[in-house]
Amino acid sequence: ITPIMLNKFTQKKIKNKFDHGITITSEEGISAVMNQKEKVFKLSRYLGKAADDFKLFWDLLCDYKSGTYKEVPWKMIAAIVFSIGYLVMPLDVIPDVLPIVGFTDDITVFGFVLAGFSAELDAYKKWKARKDY
């Protein structure tokens, strides 16, 4: 799965979910996902050990949206929005209502995004550490 494939797939999913016809790289697409913060963080507990990386993705998205951190490729923003949006959608490849296995696909998607953008995430971690210092 490449970020481009994720973007094409997600545009339709977000359109259906939010009923706005928005794309995941638009301000509206980012806002639509970020407006579900409470639900997103509640569901992120299913990511297990990757929950800390999820929090870092969320922080990156917030910094990107606020204009504080723009040194990130749009493909990564699209992939992050996709993975968060996918986590929120209860009806996906493996419906989330199924006990135990329901979040397997969500974890897999998040893992692909995490692996695909590890260098960019490391750069953000370094930037964040300097900023917080």
Side-chain angles (χ1 to χ4, degrees):
I1 295 177
T2 67
I4 299 296
M5 291 167 61
L6 293 176
N7 191 20
K8 289 179 182 177
F9 176 75
T10 307
Q11 285 179 12
K12 182 177 179 186
K13 289 293 230 177
I14 287 181
K15 179 178 179 182
N16 292 338
K17 175 68 178 170
F18 300 108
D19 199 29
H20 295 292
I22 56 178
T23 63
I24 59 177
T25 53
S26 68
E27 284 292 319
E28 295 86 10
I30 295 169
S31 294
V33 168
M34 293 184 75
N35 287 338
Q36 298 189 49
K37 182 178 181 177
E38 187 177 317
K39 183 176 183 178
V40 167
F41 274 88
K42 185 177 178 182
L43 292 171
S44 71
R45 70 177 188 254
Y46 293 108
L47 296 174
K49 295 177 185 177
D52 289 340
D53 290 322
F54 177 84
K55 171 76 169 88
L56 196 61
F57 270 1
W58 187 266
D59 290 348
L60 189 151
L61 198 58
C62 290
D63 286 337
Y64 178 83
K65 188 172 186 310
S66 71
T68 308
Y69 185 76
K70 291 289 188 179
E71 302 300 316
V72 57
W74 68 268
K75 292 177 184 180
M76 183 175 182
I77 296 300
I80 291 171
V81 171
F82 170 78
S83 65
I84 293 171
Y86 196 83
L87 180 66
V88 172
M89 288 180 233
L91 296 176
D92 41 37
V93 176
I94 302 174
D96 297 342
V97 295
L98 296 174
I100 301 171
V101 298
F103 286 95
T104 304
D105 59 328
D106 302 74
I107 294 166
T108 302
V109 166
F110 183 75
F112 278 132
V113 173
L114 187 61
F117 294 102
S118 61
E120 290 86 352
L121 193 59
D122 287 342
Y124 175 70
K125 283 180 193 176
K126 290 176 186 173
W127 175 85
K128 190 170 172 62
R130 285 192 308 268
K131 184 187 116 194
D132 292 342
Y133 180 69

